[in-house]
Amino acid sequence: MYDICCIGHITLDKIVTAKAIKHMAGGTAFYFSNAIRNMDVRYKLITAVAETELPSVANLRDKGIDVKVLPSAHTVYFENIYGENQDNRTQRVLQKADAFFAEDIKDVEAIIFHLGPLLADDMSTDLIKALFSRGNVSVDAQGYLREVIDKGVHAVDWADKKEALKHIDILKVNESELEVLTGIADIREGAKVLAEWGVKEVVVTLGSMGSVIYADSIYYDVPAYKPTEVVDATGCGDTYMAGYLYKRVKGADIQNAGEFAAAMAGLKIETSGPFEGTEEDVMAMMERVVS
């Protein structure tokens, strides 16, 4: 039995910022796994990559991460282009990987299953339902709201959202994803609607403006932790969720889990690549002045 099992593709990422162009591994699976690996948690990653990308898996295993690899004809290839404002990015998908199915996860038990789809057809509602019957389901909504047209990533609504959300305990969205799902721009009203549709904990990340979590008719306002330098925002949402789920599975309340998650995300943005710090590093960050 694992505390947390993350399911998602490791990607090939081309990251373009004002300062540099870098090629590296990426995706929810990559950033989440690196961020949580130094925490006191029983963790497993289930991913799917092409044979050519197995070295990326070997690198994770070398760091002590327990990884189950499923075969895939291709590896997802993302291009992320950032402007001066790191909260905004343009994406292209140059290659897609095979989807995940309930059969792929049947031999893994966990308290929390965290799903990190990158594209709408990565993980079906049937998979969500199957995992919901076995544990708590956490989902990052971003992939369900992405459609690829001529390699460009376009925002779409989640076609099966009403059925899927009934089987999701924790849902992570940003403000634009929240509006796509609900048609409501107001953060608090939108979060309330998602809860009415079945989600127990709605986590809304707002970039440099912090985050709002809604659960049991209570709104939790979580401030952002200002980085000393903004270097690379890729993977900040995944890092946030790694911190949040880690603290929740350890028994922390929502406010404390959110603040720990925000501090982890603030640390991550200070460097290029994934967060690889410790719980002590995060606690030190939390002692800094809140932005």
Side-chain angles (χ1 to χ4, degrees):
M1 170 67 77
Y2 294 92
D3 293 314
I4 300 172
C5 173
C6 177
I7 304 164
H9 294 111
I10 296 173
T11 71
L12 293 170
D13 275 4
K14 178 182 179 182
I15 299 172
V16 181
T17 66
K19 296 182 178 180
I21 296 176
K22 295 188 177 182
H23 293 84
M24 59 188 297
T28 292
F30 175 78
Y31 286 100
F32 188 98
S33 297
N34 275 288
I36 207 168
R37 73 180 182 88
N38 286 327
M39 305 297 158
D40 178 24
V41 66
R42 295 166 297 176
Y43 174 71
K44 188 177 187 74
L45 168 64
I46 299 177
T47 192
V49 296
E51 192 171 338
T52 53
E53 302 313 314
L54 288 178
S56 293
V57 174
N59 289 340
L60 292 178
R61 285 176 172 155
D62 287 345
K63 295 176 180 179
I65 298 170
D66 186 346
V67 187
K68 176 179 179 178
V69 183
L70 305 172
S72 176
H74 301 286
T75 296
V76 184
Y77 187 7
F78 269 96
E79 182 180 64
N80 298 306
I81 303 171
Y82 291 92
E84 288 295 330
N85 181 353
Q86 291 276 295
D87 287 344
N88 300 319
R89 69 177 173 186
T90 300
Q91 286 188 312
R92 293 201 308 154
V93 177
L94 310 182
Q95 202 168 256
K96 291 177 63 175
D98 296 343
F100 294 92
F101 298 95
E103 184 75 10
D104 300 327
I105 298 101
K106 66 178 183 179
D107 60 341
V108 177
E109 298 299 331
I111 297 171
I112 299 175
F113 292 97
H114 180 58
L115 278 59
L118 299 175
L119 299 170
D121 55 359
D122 282 352
M123 303 176 193
S124 69
T125 300
D126 286 342
L127 173 60
I128 293 174
K129 288 181 177 179
L131 295 175
F132 185 75
S133 69
R134 294 165 48 195
N136 295 288
V137 175
S138 168
V139 173
D140 189 322
Q142 66 173 349
Y144 288 109
L145 305 179
R146 286 174 173 163
E147 182 179 50
V148 180
I149 302 174
D150 294 330
K151 297 183 180 179
V153 177
H154 300 268
V156 295
D157 199 358
W158 185 350
D160 203 23
K161 64 187 178 187
K162 291 290 187 69
E163 182 62 23
L165 292 173
K166 291 188 293 186
H167 302 90
I168 293 173
D169 298 283
I170 303 170
L171 182 74
K172 182 260 178 190
V173 292
N174 62 26
E175 64 267 46
S176 61
E177 292 161 355
L178 179 67
E179 186 170 0
V180 169
L181 281 171
T182 65
I184 299 170
D186 182 88
I187 300 301
R188 291 174 180 254
E189 285 302 312
K192 185 178 179 182
V193 167
L194 291 178
E196 289 169 352
W197 289 347
V199 180
K200 294 180 180 64
E201 295 177 26
V202 180
V203 179
V204 187
T205 57
L206 306 170
S208 57
M209 302 302 292
S211 53
V212 174
I213 303 169
Y214 182 72
D216 295 323
S217 301
I218 299 171
Y219 294 98
Y220 300 86
D221 292 299
V222 180
Y225 286 78
K226 189 174 182 180
T228 54
E229 181 184 10
V230 175
V231 176
D232 178 13
T234 305
C236 276
D238 302 317
T239 303
Y240 182 106
M241 285 307 291
Y244 184 75
L245 295 181
Y246 166 63
K247 279 298 185 180
R248 290 297 279 149
V249 83
K250 286 294 189 178
D253 62 33
I254 289 174
Q255 186 69 40
N256 286 332
E259 291 175 3
F260 184 87
M264 271 183 71
L267 277 176
K268 184 265 158 283
I269 206 171
E270 294 179 351
T271 58
S272 180
F275 173 79
E276 296 185 290
T278 64
E279 185 165 0
E280 289 71 29
D281 294 331
V282 180
M283 299 303 290
M285 176 63 155
M286 294 175 75
E287 294 177 3
R288 290 190 195 176
V289 177
V290 176
S291 63

